[in-house]
Amino acid sequence: SVTYSQVTELGTKLGVSTLYNIFMGDELMATQTSVSELDFKMNQAYQWEGKIFGEEDDVCEWATMYQQIYTFNVIINNVMDASGGTNKRKLELQAEARVNRAFRYLILAQYFGKPYNESTANSDLCVPLVVEDDMNLKNLKRNTVQEVYDFIIKELEESCPDLWNQRIIHYEFTNVQDVFFWVGLTGLKEITRMQELPWRKHLNLLK
C-alpha cells in the first residue's frame, strides 16, 4: 500500500491518505489471498469500479491537486505586483505557474471526469475550475469536460510566449500533446492546428 502524508511547514502531520490510483495500474496482479487483504476502496480501485470514493471522503488525489492549484493561483494572481525582479522574469514565473496549474487540471480530469466524448463533453461534468487565490471559497460548481479541456489548452497556448527556459517549453509541449491525446483530436484539422500553435515558434528558436 502506498500512502501520502500531509505535513505543515512546522512538521505537523495532518493525516495520511492511501493513493488508490496505485491499485489501478496495469503492473499489479492480485491473488485470491491478496485481494482478501484489500479494503473496500482498494478493491474498487483494483477492479476499476465506477464508485471508489464517497461524497464525504478526504481523497488525496483531489485534495493534493487543489492544494497545489491554490499555490499556483497565488503566484499567477500576484507575481506581477511583487517588488524586485524584471518584468520578463515575472511573466516567466506566471507562465510556469499557469502551465503547472493546467497540468494539475489534466490529472484531475482523468480521475474525476468522464473520458472526452465530443458529443457529450458540453454536458458531462468534470471538476471545478478555481482560479482565485481564496482558501475560503465555498459552493463550487463542477465545470463540464469541454470547459476543463478548453481551459487547459488555452492556458498552455497563452503561456508559451513568456517561457524562455528550454526545459519548461519542452515540458509544456509534452503537456499539450497529452491534452490532445486525451481529448482524442487526431483529425487533419487538429494536427494542422497543433503545427500552428505559438509554442512551435518558440521551440524552434531554442534549437
Side-chain angles (χ1 to χ4, degrees):
S1 175
V2 179
T3 58
Y4 170 82
S5 298
Q6 294 177 286
V7 182
T8 68
E9 294 180 356
L10 299 177
T12 304
K13 184 176 290 187
L14 299 178
V16 177
S17 301
T18 299
L19 294 171
Y20 291 100
N21 62 301
I22 299 297
F23 297 95
M24 303 174 77
D26 294 335
E27 71 279 9
L28 296 184
M29 182 176 68
T31 65
Q32 185 173 358
T33 300
S34 61
V35 166
S36 66
E37 295 176 352
L38 300 179
D39 65 25
F40 173 77
K41 292 178 184 177
M42 293 176 184
N43 261 303
Q44 291 291 92
Y46 179 73
Q47 298 180 55
W48 280 71
E49 294 292 341
K51 186 175 180 60
I52 300 175
F53 308 115
E55 292 183 3
E56 302 301 323
D57 288 341
D58 183 13
V59 182
C60 63
E61 284 90 346
W62 175 283
T64 304
M65 291 295 102
Y66 275 105
Q67 288 169 3
Q68 295 174 3
I69 286 171
Y70 170 77
T71 299
F72 296 132
N73 285 343
V74 171
I75 297 171
I76 293 165
N77 297 337
N78 298 283
V79 68
M80 298 308 297
D81 296 325
S83 58
T86 65
N87 192 64
K88 177 181 176 181
R89 180 55 179 152
K90 292 178 183 179
L91 287 171
E92 185 177 33
L93 290 172
Q94 186 181 62
E96 289 182 22
R98 291 180 70 181
V99 168
N100 278 282
R101 180 175 66 181
F103 183 59
R104 269 56 178 187
Y105 277 119
L106 178 61
I107 294 174
L108 284 167
Q110 308 315 307
Y111 285 148
F112 302 104
K114 288 187 176 181
Y116 187 89
N117 182 322
E118 186 175 2
S119 62
T120 61
N122 282 309
S123 57
D124 289 338
L125 294 179
C126 197
V127 297
L129 288 172
V130 181
V131 296
E132 298 87 355
D133 52 314
D134 182 356
M135 298 182 67
N136 297 312
L137 290 176
K138 297 180 180 179
N139 301 319
L140 297 175
K141 297 186 181 298
R142 296 172 68 184
N143 289 80
T144 66
V145 169
Q146 187 67 58
E147 289 171 336
V148 171
Y149 278 104
D150 285 345
F151 176 82
I152 293 170
I153 294 173
K154 180 174 181 288
E155 288 289 284
L156 297 177
E157 290 179 358
E158 292 182 355
S159 298
C160 188
D162 294 315
L163 294 174
W164 295 100
N165 181 304
Q166 185 172 3
R167 176 180 58 83
I168 296 296
I169 291 183
H170 277 281
Y171 172 59
E172 180 188 22
F173 180 66
T174 301
N175 280 347
V176 178
Q177 288 180 312
D178 287 344
V179 175
F180 276 83
F181 171 77
W182 286 113
V183 174
L185 300 179
T186 56
L188 177 62
K189 178 180 177 181
E190 286 74 26
I191 293 175
T192 302
R193 179 177 175 230
M194 287 185 70
Q195 296 296 328
E196 296 174 348
L197 289 177
W199 79 74
R200 303 287 301 191
K201 178 179 67 175
H202 291 274
L203 192 62
N204 291 334
L205 289 175
L206 297 171
K207 293 181 178 179

